[in-house]
Amino acid sequence: MRSHYCGLLTAQQVGQQVSLCGWVNRRRDLGGLIFIDLRDREGLVQVVCDPDLKDLFDVAYTLRNEFCIQVKGTVRARPDSQINKDMATGEVEVYASELIILNKAAPLPLDSNQNNSEEQRLKYRYLDLRRPMMTERLKFRAKVTSFVRNFMDSHGFMDVETPILTKATPEGARDYLVPSRTHKGQFFALPQSPQLFKQLLMMSGLDRYYQIVKCFRDEDLRADRQPEFTQIDIETSFMTSEQVIEVTEKMVHQMFNELLGVDLGRFPRMPYSEAMRLYGSDKPDLRNPMQFVDIADLVKDVEFKVFAGPANDSKGRVVALKVPGGAEKISRKDIDGYTSFVGIYGAKGLAWMKVNDIAAGVDGVQSPVAKFLTPEIINSIISRTGAANGDLIFFAADSYKVVCEAMGALRLKLGEELAITQPGWKPLWVVDFPMFEENDDGSFSAVHHPFTSPLDTAAFVNTPNNELQLGSLLSNAYDMVLNGTELGGGSVRIHTAEVQAKVFTLLGISDEEAAEKFGFLLEALKYGAPPHAGLAFGLDRLVMLMTGATSIRDVMAFPKTATAACPLTDAPGAANPAQLAELGIAVVAKPQ
């Protein structure tokens, strides 16, 4: 039916007969002529309908937006005065000789001016995806996956599929469960990642594996989360963490260069401890130059308990954040707004100090907390933060976690609102993550997952369990970060039964529980398992960043809403009672 795509016509086709298929993007009736902007996935071209061809002209008169049509005609050059430089096909047009309506379109449920809610866009996703912006994003996503496959193949990696129906894996989120009809009362779990299977593939001798794979997590959603998402999953044998970092950095560097014409330059390394100290985040946005400054030592003896309490608490933190030019740009009303904002993250308040005239000493600062601080402390704070006249300093004093989360979020918000965050790309490797983190009840859990190797395996094995400082142990883990977004994370895996058993013991996982959940992995470790390491990229996040989208929902063909529902198909829905009976499942009414 089609000889060419609309959006690919150029001056080289002038004089050729073409057959085009697509949708009416717009129809313009100028009385003597009718112009149609015909659209397909490659773009637009202008079609001219001449009244001298009466039958064709009559059909053209009936066209409305989104009618699906076929046009046959001759490509001709536009006059110089009519060239449209805003269109890729703006130098040419098609003089129609035949026009066929393939299918009419009812009045559209979406506003052509794009004044549509996300719910509407997802309900009529097939119409939303016709928008050039959405089409271009999906085309770009296809280019990314094609690039990944070509790169992986050329570097000796094998594409291997892993099961979708499996057992629950400890990835930190709730599993989606699938009931088994043949094993009543038992359930499969949809994989949160192929973690254990890709490790087993290394133990199978496949050496280098990759997969572009669906993963499923039943967790609270946000802009960069979906119940089902896609990973670029990578695992290697006999490669160190440095070698994994090298090959994956090379892949991303070449990807940006080839697909965007962007040179990401050097990927610096930053220890996790440094990232948290300076930015309160394990995925800092380095485009924003503002950094935290710890001042607990300066305020531990003041009478102001809001500062002194956390300053003297081993689990507390007191930091200052200098905002360049903030004294002039940020009003008291703005400060009240920022105070409410940090409250979202558990902060009880937000102290501040405007630096008006350093030479005037205490009289040169404006702050509701200045009366609690000596001139020496104020001068030390100004000196340590590097504040200058016209700057504003925000303070946070609370638990370590609250300070990091609240001030980290405030730093990003200020960076955007005050144009402190610079455009461009800032990649980063965050390394030397903690191996364990302490829970509220005093127990410990794995920061990444319990199959992550300690950074110093020999010391870990040779130190008795009761002498290990779990909160201080480092893992051989690494995350790639770009512009404040974690693109991917990975680690060297545990490859000996001895180390794996010790990790399970430290996490409070009994031998019985370990055998029940991971017996197949523990068994496999006995038979010459090789050293192995890997990394998984979030494909959706990667494409979101590269296309400038603000949500991964805008780079997925059929995503779910923020409540994990699909307006298009009305999923999830009720199950047939006969199906439930066959599965041995009863639905319990929700308590009123």
Side-chain angles (χ1 to χ4, degrees):
M1 296 180 71
R2 160 197 288 144
S3 65
H4 296 73
Y5 280 107
C6 299
L8 300 183
L9 292 178
T10 68
Q12 292 182 340
Q13 281 83 43
V14 169
Q16 292 184 20
Q17 296 291 312
V18 296
S19 177
L20 308 176
C21 295
W23 289 267
V24 176
N25 195 67
R26 186 171 60 143
R27 190 206 68 172
R28 288 166 288 144
D29 188 349
L30 302 185
L33 294 171
I34 291 178
F35 293 93
I36 301 165
D37 288 342
L38 186 62
R39 185 192 72 244
D40 58 23
R41 76 172 200 188
E42 298 299 333
L44 298 167
V45 70
Q46 178 172 281
V47 175
V48 181
C49 299
D50 194 322
D52 290 343
L53 302 175
K54 185 177 183 308
D55 292 343
L56 180 148
F57 194 80
D58 289 344
V59 174
Y61 185 78
T62 68
L63 297 180
R64 299 292 181 268
N65 286 2
E66 299 307 316
F67 273 34
C68 184
I69 64 174
Q70 180 185 31
V71 172
K72 295 181 180 180
T74 305
V75 180
R76 65 185 190 184
R78 292 199 199 188
D80 291 344
S81 62
Q82 296 179 20
I83 290 176
N84 186 344
K85 295 182 180 180
D86 295 329
M87 288 177 64
T89 60
E91 293 183 352
V92 299
E93 60 188 12
V94 175
Y95 182 79
S97 58
E98 186 177 343
L99 191 158
I100 300 171
I101 296 176
L102 300 174
N103 210 337
K104 296 181 179 180
L108 299 177
L110 293 182
D111 181 357
S112 60
N113 294 318
Q114 308 311 323
N115 296 317
N116 303 299
S117 67
E118 186 174 64
E119 185 87 9
Q120 289 174 303
R121 290 177 52 213
L122 295 183
K123 182 174 178 61
Y124 300 99
R125 189 62 161 180
Y126 43 87
L127 295 178
D128 186 52
L129 291 178
R130 291 184 191 174
R131 289 193 295 139
M133 177 187 293
M134 297 301 296
T135 303
E136 287 303 314
R137 286 172 178 167
L138 291 186
K139 285 168 61 180
F140 188 87
R141 181 181 177 120
K143 290 179 181 179
V144 171
T145 57
S146 178
F147 176 90
V148 169
R149 294 188 190 282
N150 290 332
F151 182 93
M152 289 281 103
D153 292 344
S154 68
H155 285 74
F157 287 81
M158 293 175 57
D159 183 359
V160 183
E161 292 183 353
T162 53
I164 293 298
L165 296 177
T166 182
K167 289 187 71 171
T169 56
E171 302 291 333
R174 289 179 294 272
D175 291 299
Y176 280 102
L177 299 179
V178 180
S180 170
R181 179 184 59 81
T182 54
H183 301 278
K184 282 189 172 61
Q186 296 183 304
F187 296 82
F188 294 104
L190 301 182
Q192 295 186 35
S193 84
Q195 181 62 46
L196 298 183
F197 286 107
K198 65 183 179 182
Q199 290 189 241
L200 291 172
L201 288 173
M202 296 304 100
M203 299 172 199
S204 304
L206 295 188
D207 195 69
R208 293 190 178 195
Y209 141 96
Y210 84 96
Q211 186 182 187
I212 298 177
V213 60
K214 281 288 189 183
C215 302
F216 307 86
R217 296 182 185 179
D218 186 7
E219 59 186 349
D220 296 331
L221 304 181
R222 61 187 184 209
D224 59 350
R225 285 183 178 173
Q226 279 280 290
E228 53 179 321
F229 57 96
T230 306
Q231 279 187 183
I232 304 169
D233 209 43
I234 301 169
E235 197 77 8
T236 69
S237 296
F238 310 114
M239 286 179 69
T240 64
S241 57
E242 284 296 322
Q243 291 170 318
V244 173
I245 285 173
E246 180 183 355
V247 72
T248 53
E249 180 177 318
K250 181 180 180 181
M251 182 184 77
V252 172
H253 196 282
Q254 290 185 6
M255 180 189 300
F256 271 73
N257 205 337
E258 183 174 315
L259 301 185
L260 292 181
V262 169
D263 183 357
L264 290 177
R266 185 179 65 90
F267 286 43
R269 308 280 180 90
M270 182 180 292
Y272 169 89
S273 58
E274 186 81 347
M276 297 304 292
R277 183 178 70 84
L278 295 177
Y279 306 105
S281 170
D282 61 0
K283 47 181 183 295
D285 188 347
L286 299 187
R287 297 174 303 163
N288 181 338
M290 292 191 294
Q291 297 179 343
F292 294 178
V293 174
D294 284 287
I295 60 167
D297 61 311
L298 299 179
V299 298
K300 64 181 181 179
D301 296 323
V302 301
E303 295 182 3
F304 188 42
K305 299 301 182 185
V306 172
F307 281 4
N312 288 283
D313 186 342
S314 61
K315 296 183 179 180
R317 190 177 187 190
V318 186
V319 303
L321 180 68
K322 180 191 73 176
V323 184
E328 300 168 355
K329 298 176 183 177
I330 299 176
S331 67
R332 280 300 306 272
K333 182 179 179 182
D334 293 331
I335 291 174
D336 290 341
Y338 292 135
T339 302
S340 299
F341 175 75
V342 297
I344 298 171
Y345 300 89
K348 302 177 185 67
L350 183 65
W352 55 274
M353 179 184 292
K354 290 190 175 184
V355 181
N356 300 319
D357 184 2
I358 293 177
V362 176
D363 294 333
V365 301
Q366 177 188 356
S367 171
V369 300
K371 60 187 176 183
F372 300 110
L373 309 176
T374 65
E376 292 75 18
I377 292 175
I378 291 175
N379 289 333
S380 295
I381 291 172
I382 291 174
S383 175
R384 188 173 291 186
T385 59
N389 290 339
D391 292 346
L392 181 146
I393 303 171
F394 280 120
F395 302 95
D398 213 305
S399 70
Y400 185 88
K401 180 180 179 182
V402 167
V403 167
C404 289
E405 291 184 355
M407 290 298 275
L410 179 63
R411 172 181 170 272
L412 296 177
K413 185 175 179 67
L414 290 167
E416 291 297 323
E417 293 183 353
L418 302 182
I420 295 172
T421 300
Q422 299 301 307
W425 303 95
K426 288 287 186 179
L428 172 72
W429 282 105
V430 178
V431 297
D432 298 344
F433 279 82
M435 190 161 179
F436 303 107
E437 60 184 349
E438 188 173 0
N439 302 314
D440 293 338
D441 61 2
S443 64
F444 283 84
S445 57
V447 170
H448 278 75
H449 51 63
F451 317 111
T452 301
S453 176
L455 189 60
D456 188 340
T457 303
F460 178 78
V461 171
N462 294 325
T463 304
N465 290 359
N466 60 355
E467 295 181 16
L468 287 171
Q469 300 296 317
L470 298 190
S472 301
L473 287 175
L474 298 181
S475 65
N476 202 345
Y478 35 83
D479 281 2
M480 183 188 287
V481 177
L482 182 63
N483 292 3
T485 296
E486 178 194 332
L487 288 187
S491 66
V492 172
R493 322 303 189 187
I494 296 169
H495 73 282
T496 66
E498 178 188 14
V499 176
Q500 189 65 75
K502 185 164 185 170
V503 169
F504 284 158
T505 298
L506 293 171
L507 291 173
I509 299 174
S510 67
D511 292 344
E512 293 76 14
E513 184 182 359
E516 178 187 351
K517 290 184 176 179
F518 317 113
F520 59 95
L521 177 71
L522 297 175
E523 183 73 11
L525 289 173
K526 297 177 183 178
Y527 305 114
H532 54 287
L535 184 145
F537 288 101
L539 174 63
D540 311 295
R541 292 184 190 178
L542 179 62
V543 177
M544 177 184 74
L545 279 180
M546 295 182 78
T547 59
T550 57
S551 165
I552 62 171
R553 290 190 285 275
D554 281 337
V555 297
M556 303 170 78
F558 299 104
K560 307 294 188 291
T561 65
T563 58
C566 176
L568 175 65
T569 61
D570 282 334
N576 186 301
Q579 289 178 305
L580 294 176
E582 192 173 24
L583 293 167
I585 293 177
V587 176
V588 179
K590 188 175 181 179
Q592 296 296 322

